[in-house]
Amino acid sequence: MPEYGYFLASEEHDPAALVEQARMAEQAGFQALWISDHYHPWNDAQGQSAFVWSVIGALSEAVSLPIETAVTCPTVRMHPAVVAQAAATSAVMTQGRFRLGLGTGEALNEHILGDPWPPSHVRLEMLEEAIQVMRRLFTGEEVNHHGTHYTVENARLYTVPEEPVPIDISGFGPKATSLAARVGDGYITMMPEEEMVTRFRKGGGGAKLVSGGTKVCYGTDRDECVRTVHRLWYNELLPGEMGQVLPSPRHFEQLHELVTEDMVREKSVCGDDVDEHVSALKAFADAGFDRVYVNQIGPDQRGFFDFYRTKVLPQLG
């Protein structure tokens, strides 16, 4: 039986709203929190993108739930030695309730300093080396590292948790999933695909944590929910690698017309049909996930949490 968590969308809500949503999530019976780590939103309509580590500090005081970034890219915009310090401090502030979700990132967030955006196989190499650096730093010992992609000299983290920060790796294809199985403490993916879970477990992941997430739009007017999703999160339905290679929100906005309201209506959970919401989350359970996170799109956060507290979560056990 999976645990069910809430996915905080840093791209859509300001820090105070995220903290309040976390409180409502805990009160509603959600068991964990994800929070996105972005420099930019996907489009200007979303309109936010706070520095995630500051928000995690506030969350550590506001709730008692486990917290995880979904996901941080520790390779280009931020050096892995700096990410390691941020993650270790977060783990101390949450008394060990923090996990570090990592991925190879998107040009949207990572190219801002003018660095080149490497091809996917190089990004995977960079991620693996970054994980090696961070794991050494989590020991609290002095680290010197001269690798293919990163140099660290005389670096030591003095504020570290009692246990090293668990690292979960995001993967949407075979290579990233295999990397997660080989070097991760857990696996993150966004589709309820049993094949990928099996690949992770058989590739070395064994019984390690597998987490997934989805977005919904609760509301009593299904057509209005469809319009809300189409306005704010149409990027979720863009095909191929565009999500990884487009460099700015305006480029995603130029592709808005490729996604229709009919596509949203067909692919997204919109409205107040309890069975539809339950079915979307049970698909992850059926595929073998251990934790499932759900995000409410749009402004009706209070209505969403009341709906899930009284009607959806009770059916999920």
Side-chain angles (χ1 to χ4, degrees):
M1 183 74 69
E3 294 180 338
Y4 292 93
Y6 188 70
F7 190 176
L8 298 164
S10 300
E11 308 92 327
E12 192 184 335
H13 302 281
D14 66 31
L18 294 171
V19 172
E20 181 57 25
Q21 288 167 25
R23 291 193 183 100
M24 290 192 288
E26 186 166 36
Q27 293 165 3
F30 286 97
Q31 298 166 285
L33 295 173
W34 261 0
I35 184 167
S36 55
D37 180 3
H38 270 226
Y39 195 89
H40 293 135
W42 296 97
N43 55 68
D44 281 2
Q46 291 174 355
Q48 296 288 334
S49 204
F51 188 58
V52 72
W53 304 104
S54 300
V55 181
I56 289 171
L59 292 173
S60 72
E61 292 294 308
V63 297
S64 61
L65 297 176
I67 302 167
E68 179 167 15
T69 54
V71 294
T72 293
C73 178
T75 59
V76 179
R77 170 171 51 102
M78 290 182 67
H79 192 282
V82 179
V83 175
Q85 185 183 29
T89 299
S90 298
V92 170
M93 294 185 72
T94 58
Q95 300 178 326
R97 291 178 286 107
F98 178 76
R99 298 181 75 93
L100 179 60
L102 298 179
T104 57
E106 306 91 14
L108 174 72
N109 304 300
E110 304 305 323
H111 86 293
I112 59 168
L113 302 179
D115 299 285
W117 185 236
S120 59
H121 72 279
V122 175
R123 301 202 305 272
L124 283 169
E125 290 175 7
M126 296 172 72
L127 178 60
E128 183 167 3
E129 185 177 336
I131 291 169
Q132 295 171 359
V133 169
M134 289 188 289
R135 284 223 166 99
R136 291 179 62 191
L137 286 165
F138 289 153
T139 66
E141 299 176 357
E142 183 176 296
V143 173
N144 289 278
H145 173 88
H146 297 273
T148 304
H149 301 287
Y150 302 106
T151 297
V152 178
E153 294 185 351
N154 307 117
R156 179 184 173 189
L157 296 183
Y158 281 80
T159 301
V160 293
E162 293 183 2
E163 299 292 333
V165 179
I167 294 175
D168 299 336
I169 300 174
S170 173
F172 303 107
K175 292 181 180 179
T177 303
S178 296
L179 176 65
R182 184 161 49 83
V183 305
D185 297 308
Y187 174 52
I188 292 172
T189 191
M190 298 303 289
M191 296 297 292
E193 295 178 348
E194 184 177 2
E195 177 184 352
M196 302 307 289
V197 175
T198 300
R199 176 184 289 271
F200 170 75
R201 298 211 183 280
K202 289 186 175 180
K208 294 176 181 177
L209 185 70
V210 175
S211 302
T214 190
K215 292 183 179 292
V216 303
C217 188
Y218 162 79
T220 56
D221 184 335
R222 187 169 191 268
D223 289 338
E224 180 60 29
C225 290
V226 168
R227 289 190 289 271
T228 297
V229 175
H230 186 253
R231 178 173 62 86
L232 293 174
W233 286 92
Y234 58 87
N235 57 282
E236 292 276 297
L237 297 178
L238 291 173
E241 295 184 64
M242 285 185 281
Q244 284 72 54
V245 301
L246 295 179
S248 77
R250 71 174 180 274
H251 291 100
F252 285 91
E253 290 165 2
Q254 291 168 7
L255 301 180
H256 192 177
E257 63 185 24
L258 296 180
V259 179
T260 66
E261 289 187 7
D262 285 341
M263 292 168 63
V264 171
R265 189 173 284 105
E266 178 184 352
K267 300 288 187 179
S268 303
V269 176
C270 294
D272 60 354
D273 185 321
V274 176
D275 291 341
E276 189 176 1
H277 285 262
V278 169
S279 177
L281 298 183
K282 278 190 172 179
F284 287 89
D286 293 342
F289 284 72
D290 302 304
R291 281 187 182 168
V292 186
Y293 296 81
V294 58
N295 169 254
Q296 161 71 356
I297 294 173
D300 190 6
Q301 297 291 319
R302 175 61 68 184
F304 164 86
F305 285 114
D306 287 344
F307 177 66
Y308 266 65
R309 175 179 57 83
T310 59
K311 296 184 178 180
V312 178
L313 291 179
Q315 291 200 43
L316 295 169

